[in-house]
Amino acid sequence: MINTRFFVGLDDTDAPDMMCTTWLGTLLADLLEKSGMKVLSARLVRLNPTIPYKTRGNAAISLCIIGDPDHAFRLTCDLVERFSALSCDNTNPGIVVSIKKPPSAFYWKAVRSLCHIDEAKSLLAGCAIHFRGYKLGRGLIGATAAVSSDFPDHTWEYLAYRQINRLHVPREVDAESLRCSEELTWPHTWDTWDYDLDGPVCIPHTPDPVLFGIRGDSPFMVARAVSVIRSEQADMARIWMTNQGTDAHLVFCDHGMMQEGISYLVRGIVKEIPVTGKGGHVLFHLTRAGLIIPCMAFEPTKKFRDIVRALRPGDEILAAGSYLKNTLNLEKIFVFSAEPFVSIRAPLCQTCQKRMTSAGSGKGYKCRRCSARATDPEEIKEARTISPGWYEVPSGARRHLSRPCARGYVNPDPSYLPVSRERRSGHFTEKKN
């Protein structure tokens, strides 16, 4: 089995403030290559972002290799036992080595729903050469999903890793070079710089091994972006094929009740004027097929909340987000229509110049001061500050899986609509053919 083509899957080796599964995967790939094996591909697979026991980005990795699967399994186990955050209660690594890929249905379930350890073990018993779970073995879910992953759409990420002896000192990355790298390569790279916050978003804030990550639509473009970045010396680097930025986690909701922990695309009608609550969160309700769905734009989405505040009753939108605690947490919206909004109020008394009050149901209006009467209310036509198109959260608030408008095409209904690549403060207008 020395020249066998096989897959290695790995997950749940990190903790909230240390380690990184992609770092361990990069180290594994480098060591396998040094031993004479050939790494054909490396995948970074993001799973359901709503899973409560995830660490940071809920990522697993898989490698496609030509070589000796037995040796690869022994080496992977050795690395996991040496470097994974096994002291963390929530870290439960899993390793899979398989010649054939498990059915892709498991991957899609892991991205869009909830899988159980027993499901993964049952699947692996029929297809894997080796698999091992540590502690609770929860990482077998992600490792199996990574090996079985099916990417009808994919992007790329260049991940640079720090030298181990520098993990607890501040990262040295020149911010201006990061901004220049995105301006040089945009829209073929994205989420390097947040133009709302005027700062980088591709640098972790925890003492894990990642130095920075550049996301884009091809290996060439992410490498080109990296070529202008000035930083401390990286210890290792690898370009990963990934499902990031593809909306793979979204399920189109066309009927029935929504389920907790699922991310949806929901088309509906805005029910009332959005309200800003405590903490700066903005809430409105969407109606669809008899359902009333609370939708929330949270404070970290910054200027995106101004777009949400501009919605008015009757607007038809497509809302994308995760359904948690009976609320759709918004990632982006598509506005189908934004007609002039007409509101009504009591008319002004022409004699007293005071606002009239209702005279009773069906009886019109009456001035309290002079008793003058009026039949019709005053109509106020509000100028709209939004127009049809996509609106998204800023880079710093975007989930890994959420597809950025910079990629050019999105799936609103579910047929594809082309959108322009012009940057307009998070607004990308529909381009008519």
Side-chain angles (χ1 to χ4, degrees):
M1 298 179 67
I2 293 179
N3 290 313
T4 303
R5 181 178 179 270
F6 64 97
F7 302 91
V8 174
L10 182 63
D11 187 30
D12 204 12
T13 67
D14 60 348
D17 60 350
M18 63 183 296
M19 252 303 291
C20 175
T21 299
T22 68
W23 176 85
L24 201 55
T26 297
L27 179 59
L28 173 63
D30 287 355
L31 292 176
L32 290 174
E33 289 173 333
K34 289 176 182 177
S35 72
M37 299 192 201
K38 186 174 182 179
V39 177
L40 301 177
S41 66
R43 289 191 173 193
L44 191 172
V45 180
R46 299 287 178 180
L47 306 176
N48 188 341
T50 70
I51 296 299
Y53 44 75
K54 66 184 177 72
T55 46
R56 295 188 295 274
N58 204 15
I61 66 99
S62 72
L63 304 172
C64 181
I65 303 162
I66 292 180
D68 183 352
D70 296 330
H71 176 68
F73 178 68
R74 290 191 298 269
L75 179 58
T76 307
C77 291
D78 177 61
L79 293 180
V80 167
E81 290 160 13
R82 287 170 57 195
F83 294 110
S84 63
L86 290 171
S87 61
C88 176
D89 291 341
N90 203 34
T91 298
N92 301 275
I95 301 168
V96 172
V97 175
S98 181
I99 293 177
K100 65 178 183 178
K101 297 184 69 168
S104 62
F106 188 88
Y107 159 75
W108 286 109
K109 185 176 181 182
V111 173
R112 294 177 171 174
S113 186
L114 178 66
C115 296
H116 298 283
I117 300 172
D118 288 344
E119 291 180 74
K121 289 182 177 179
S122 176
L123 196 61
L124 294 172
C127 66
I129 304 174
H130 306 288
F131 64 92
R132 178 176 296 176
Y134 291 82
K135 298 165 62 178
L136 296 179
R138 189 181 290 132
L140 286 172
I141 297 171
T144 306
V147 170
S148 66
S149 60
D150 172 31
F151 288 175
D153 183 20
H154 65 269
T155 61
W156 302 84
E157 182 166 14
Y158 183 110
L159 281 169
Y161 303 96
R162 310 187 73 190
Q163 298 176 30
I164 295 299
N165 60 0
R166 292 186 57 83
L167 294 187
H168 297 285
V169 299
R171 289 173 175 83
E172 295 180 8
V173 184
D174 181 72
E176 180 62 18
S177 70
L178 291 173
R179 185 183 64 79
C180 291
S181 76
E182 180 162 297
E183 290 186 350
L184 173 69
T185 55
W186 192 89
H188 302 291
T189 68
W190 53 85
D191 289 357
T192 301
W193 192 266
D194 189 318
Y195 289 85
D196 286 346
L197 298 177
D198 196 27
V201 292
C202 62
I203 303 174
H205 300 292
T206 55
D208 63 74
V210 175
L211 179 58
F212 60 78
I214 304 299
R215 299 171 187 172
D217 58 19
S218 74
F220 170 77
M221 293 309 298
V222 295
R224 186 182 182 198
V226 169
S227 69
V228 301
I229 295 174
R230 298 186 297 273
S231 71
E232 64 185 68
Q233 183 66 43
D235 183 48
M236 297 188 299
R238 184 162 289 269
I239 297 176
W240 296 88
M241 177 190 285
T242 175
N243 61 351
Q244 293 173 165
T246 65
D247 280 349
H249 63 310
L250 295 179
V251 178
F252 194 77
C253 178
D254 55 359
H255 65 279
M257 299 294 292
M258 300 171 71
Q259 298 179 38
E260 186 78 5
I262 308 295
S263 299
Y264 289 100
L265 283 165
V266 187
R267 185 170 182 170
I269 305 296
V270 176
K271 186 174 184 290
E272 77 282 292
I273 294 177
V275 175
T276 302
K278 185 178 180 180
H281 311 314
V282 181
L283 172 70
F284 69 95
H285 290 82
L286 198 65
T287 61
R288 175 183 177 81
L291 298 177
I292 299 178
I293 305 164
C295 299
M296 185 82 78
F298 286 94
E299 189 279 334
T301 62
K302 303 302 180 183
K303 292 181 180 179
F304 176 71
R305 295 172 299 160
D306 294 335
I307 301 301
V308 174
R309 290 187 184 103
L311 294 173
R312 291 295 178 263
D315 287 346
E316 186 175 12
I317 69 169
L318 183 76
S322 298
Y323 194 67
L324 293 166
K325 298 180 179 179
N326 298 317
T327 301
L328 193 69
N329 300 337
L330 295 174
E331 299 174 11
K332 57 189 170 185
I333 60 173
F334 183 85
V335 178
F336 288 93
S337 62
E339 300 298 326
F341 180 69
V342 178
S343 60
I344 62 172
R345 62 180 178 179
L348 198 66
C349 176
Q350 298 302 311
T351 302
C352 304
Q353 293 300 301
K354 298 292 183 182
R355 194 67 58 187
M356 292 183 175
T357 59
S358 174
S361 179
K363 298 181 180 180
Y365 300 88
K366 181 179 180 180
C367 178
R368 289 182 174 179
R369 180 174 293 185
C370 69
S371 299
R373 288 182 173 270
T375 303
D376 300 320
E378 180 181 338
E379 292 188 350
I380 304 170
K381 183 174 289 188
E382 177 185 335
R384 303 302 301 274
T385 58
I386 59 173
S387 57
W390 277 104
Y391 298 86
E392 61 183 1
V393 301
S395 296
R398 191 181 354 262
R399 281 188 155 147
H400 297 288
L401 281 164
S402 187
R403 181 172 184 151
C405 289
R407 294 200 62 207
Y409 291 92
V410 286
N411 188 358
D413 191 26
S415 60
Y416 282 89
L417 282 181
V419 294
S420 76
R421 290 181 179 269
E422 179 182 358
R423 187 189 296 277
R424 294 187 184 177
S425 301
H427 176 204
F428 292 76
T429 56
E430 181 181 357
K431 182 189 290 181
K432 302 293 186 182
N433 290 324

